[in-house]
Amino acid sequence: MLRPLLLLLLAFALSSCILLVEDEPPRPQPVQPVTPVTPVQPSIVTPGPGSFTYRCNGGTLVVRYLDSSNLQLFYDGAFQNLSLVRRSPTLLFSGGAYTWEWTGSRGTLSVRGQVVLSNCAL
């Protein structure tokens, strides 16, 4: 009879010990404000300065980049002077009837609004 009473007393004593040893619940960490990231458009760089020969659907085109804003392209038997008119989303050079559009890897030449050379690559 004494034995079950001791076991019962021991069970109550151990359960209170377990409660005393129990860890505190973790405290929530303060939330840090998130700084939004502004996407950056990659800048398209002209291949110049220098002369480059492009192989295109429709033929070959020689472009001489004079600086970051001006170029000459050889078409219709002569060099045509073009100036940069737009940087985004592609570089667009224009002069008279000629327009050269460069995506950073491919180019297109238009004359009077009609595409004459496309998919031009170095």
Side-chain angles (χ1 to χ4, degrees), residues 33-73:
V34 176
T35 306
V37 177
T38 305
V40 177
Q41 287 281 356
S43 61
I44 299 171
V45 180
T46 58
S51 293
F52 297 86
T53 301
Y54 293 90
R55 298 193 194 315
C56 311
N57 292 345
T60 302
L61 179 67
V62 175
V63 178
R64 181 186 308 155
Y65 292 91
L66 305 174
D67 55 37
S68 61
S69 299
N70 298 288
L71 62 80
Q72 293 178 323
L73 55 86

Side-chain angles (χ1 to χ4, degrees), residues 9-90:
L9 194 57
L10 184 61
F12 283 122
L14 286 177
S15 66
S16 65
C17 288
I18 292 173
L19 291 176
L20 293 174
V21 178
E22 194 173 283
D23 289 338
E24 290 183 23
R27 294 182 182 164
Q29 296 294 324
V31 177
Q32 298 294 328
V34 176
T35 306
V37 177
T38 305
V40 177
Q41 287 281 356
S43 61
I44 299 171
V45 180
T46 58
S51 293
F52 297 86
T53 301
Y54 293 90
R55 298 193 194 315
C56 311
N57 292 345
T60 302
L61 179 67
V62 175
V63 178
R64 181 186 308 155
Y65 292 91
L66 305 174
D67 55 37
S68 61
S69 299
N70 298 288
L71 62 80
Q72 293 178 323
L73 55 86
F74 191 78
Y75 192 78
D76 285 341
F79 276 100
Q80 312 298 327
N81 295 315
L82 284 72
S83 298
L84 183 66
V85 294
R86 185 184 75 208
R87 284 195 184 277
S88 180
T90 60

